[in-house]
Amino acid sequence: MVEFDIRPNPQPMPETERQAVLAALVFGQVFTDHMVTLRWSAERGWHDGRLEPYQALTLDPASSIFHYGQEIFEGMKAYRQENGAIALFRPEANAARFNLSAQRLAMPELPVDTFVHALELLVAHDHGWVPDGEGNSLYLRPFMIATQPALGFTLPSNSYLFCVIASPVPAYFSGTTRLPALTVWLSEDYTRAAPGGTGAAKAGGNYAAAFLAQRQAVEQGCDQVVWLDAAHHTWVEEMGGMNLFFVTRTHDTDDDPVLMTPALTGTLLPGITRDSLLTLAPRFGIRPEEGRISINQWRKQCASGELTEVFACGTAAVIAPVGKVRGVSGEWTVGDGNPGPTTLRLRDELLGIQYGRRPDPFNWVHKVC
Ligand code: PLP
Ligand code: COI
């Protein structure tokens, strides 16, 4: 495994200041005392690993990242457990997805144990930054950028920087008294990902191309964009930073509810929360299904009462109920517009496992310190 040189920050944030930050959390605006960096070159492979003070990066302005956007990232969290320990959730799954993204963007893969070790190092050194409290966590952002100073577009960069930064965060969507239901915007004119493109990779360019629609969503009073398939603008794929789930009940009341999520067609991100929920559902008498749903079906099945709940899920969002859907041709409500029982039950279970309150039957919790 790659070795990391430990260079502690001689001037960490004073304790009283850090406590003030932890008492007033905002998503992704304050960063901890350290970061991890690791370099790759064609000659040396992965080398020069460091845990070092959080600081600005110095890059040649000709670096490939600035011109051709060769960048990938991950999003994960460290959770303070009930017993005071700190744990990650399925970090090997993030490492595996990082390598799939790397393959798609023609970047070098990082050994899974090095990826996980880099996270462990940062969390262990900055453990005082992991906040207490339901929904709060230390958000970890591993990323990789192309650093070769070269403008030719012949071969991918021959040098890269891997870096991990950390930010104490609250729940991504938080209400003052209860879990808020989201209003979502159907993006019918823009496309996030097309077949053969980079939709299944966690690449910065996907998000750069999504900002215009996300701004449109905010202007329409919505929280997030719902992306539709590129060819027909009909089939629901996912949201800007989350996967989507649909809960249906047949009129035969003895039937289990069905939990459907769009299948992984290569144009949406294979979410780790998505995979966790598909795995957990049968334990609660819920039938998981990977399928497809059109916007017309979504609207009709809400009107008929067959589709009772919709929720978004992801590392940042956890599980966020969708209450209202808005688009150029009008809007409709999901159920009664409030979080439904399946959504709340799965959310409670997932958070219970992540915070160490519930048994962990699949060994997803990875203790750090
Ligand atoms: N889809 C997109 C576009 C995302 O950015 C995310 C967030 O990471 C997800 C889905 C959910 O993935 P995960 O559950 O692994 O966080
Ligand atoms: C995450 O859930 O980790 C994400 O990457 C979503 C991000 C766009 C905030």
Side-chain angles (χ1 to χ4, degrees):
M1 194 177 23
V2 179
E3 294 295 317
F4 288 86
D5 185 21
I6 309 295
R7 303 181 181 186
N9 190 335
Q11 288 182 306
M13 187 182 280
E15 170 73 12
T16 47
E17 222 175 294
R18 174 158 50 86
Q19 290 308 335
V21 168
L22 296 181
L25 293 172
V26 184
F27 192 91
Q29 293 192 4
V30 177
F31 299 90
T32 63
D33 296 314
H34 297 93
M35 64 187 196
V36 167
T37 55
L38 177 62
R39 291 175 189 270
W40 186 92
S41 68
E43 308 80 52
R44 298 179 64 192
W46 290 108
H47 65 279
D48 209 7
R50 289 183 196 170
L51 175 99
E52 58 185 314
Y54 184 94
Q55 62 196 290
L57 298 170
T58 302
L59 291 170
D60 190 304
S63 298
S64 207
I65 174 63
F66 297 133
H67 306 278
Y68 305 126
Q70 214 188 348
E71 189 265 1
I72 59 170
F73 69 97
E74 273 302 322
M76 47 208 302
K77 287 173 170 173
Y79 303 86
R80 192 171 287 283
Q81 309 285 285
E82 273 216 320
N83 63 6
I86 296 170
L88 299 168
F89 183 70
R90 305 187 68 183
E92 298 84 4
N94 290 89
R97 186 172 65 189
F98 191 69
N99 283 338
L100 289 177
S101 301
Q103 279 170 22
R104 180 62 187 83
L105 276 280
M107 299 167 95
E109 291 180 40
L110 183 61
V112 170
D113 57 354
T114 303
F115 180 96
V116 175
H117 184 57
L119 294 161
E120 288 173 337
L121 264 185
L122 184 56
V123 170
H125 275 81
D126 285 342
H127 64 88
W129 284 90
V130 183
D132 291 323
E134 179 72 14
N136 298 339
S137 58
L138 184 66
Y139 185 80
L140 300 161
R141 175 54 66 88
F143 64 98
M144 185 182 358
I145 57 174
T147 51
Q148 185 183 2
L151 299 185
F153 191 77
T154 312
L155 280 174
S157 173
N158 65 10
S159 62
Y160 295 87
L161 170 69
F162 171 74
C163 183
V164 191
I165 54 174
S167 172
V169 296
Y172 198 70
F173 300 111
S174 34
T176 41
T177 50
R178 61 181 190 81
L179 186 63
L182 309 182
T183 299
V184 297
W185 173 250
L186 293 174
S187 184
E188 292 170 75
D189 40 4
Y190 299 113
T191 296
R192 175 182 178 275
T198 57
K202 208 159 164 60
N206 291 340
Y207 298 77
F211 268 125
L212 189 58
Q214 177 61 28
R215 187 172 66 189
Q216 202 176 44
V218 171
E219 284 164 2
Q220 297 290 337
C222 297
D223 301 287
Q224 277 276 310
V225 177
V226 173
W227 291 106
L228 304 172
D229 76 287
H232 307 101
H233 281 222
T234 296
W235 305 102
V236 176
E237 299 221 306
E238 62 172 332
M239 297 222 293
M242 292 139 228
N243 291 114
L244 274 169
F245 275 91
F246 298 81
V247 181
T248 48
R249 280 170 194 279
T250 58
H251 291 295
D252 186 344
T253 48
D254 288 339
D255 275 1
D256 290 340
V258 174
L259 183 69
M260 197 286 285
T261 190
L264 299 178
T265 52
T267 51
L268 55 145
L269 195 77
I272 290 154
T273 319
R274 174 189 181 279
D275 180 74
S276 306
L277 295 177
L278 289 172
T279 307
L280 283 174
R283 301 175 76 86
F284 297 93
I286 302 164
R287 204 145 43 92
E289 214 177 84
E290 293 177 88
R292 67 176 189 174
I293 184 168
S294 68
I295 38 176
N296 278 340
Q297 282 170 313
W298 185 350
R299 184 198 281 258
K300 276 193 192 146
Q301 291 182 5
C302 282
S304 70
E306 191 184 339
L307 178 49
T308 52
E309 301 173 45
V310 178
F311 63 82
C313 73
T315 299
V318 191
I319 290 184
V322 173
K324 227 177 245 174
V325 188
R326 195 168 287 160
V328 280
S329 48
E331 72 172 44
W332 68 92
T333 302
V334 180
D336 64 0
N338 291 308
T342 304
T343 306
L344 294 176
R345 193 166 178 193
L346 287 170
R347 186 173 187 277
D348 190 49
E349 185 64 19
L350 182 66
L351 285 169
I353 296 174
Q354 290 170 333
Y355 285 92
R357 295 192 297 264
R358 294 276 165 81
D360 174 24
F362 301 102
N363 271 324
W364 285 338
V365 175
H366 180 108
K367 186 169 170 279
V368 175
C369 54

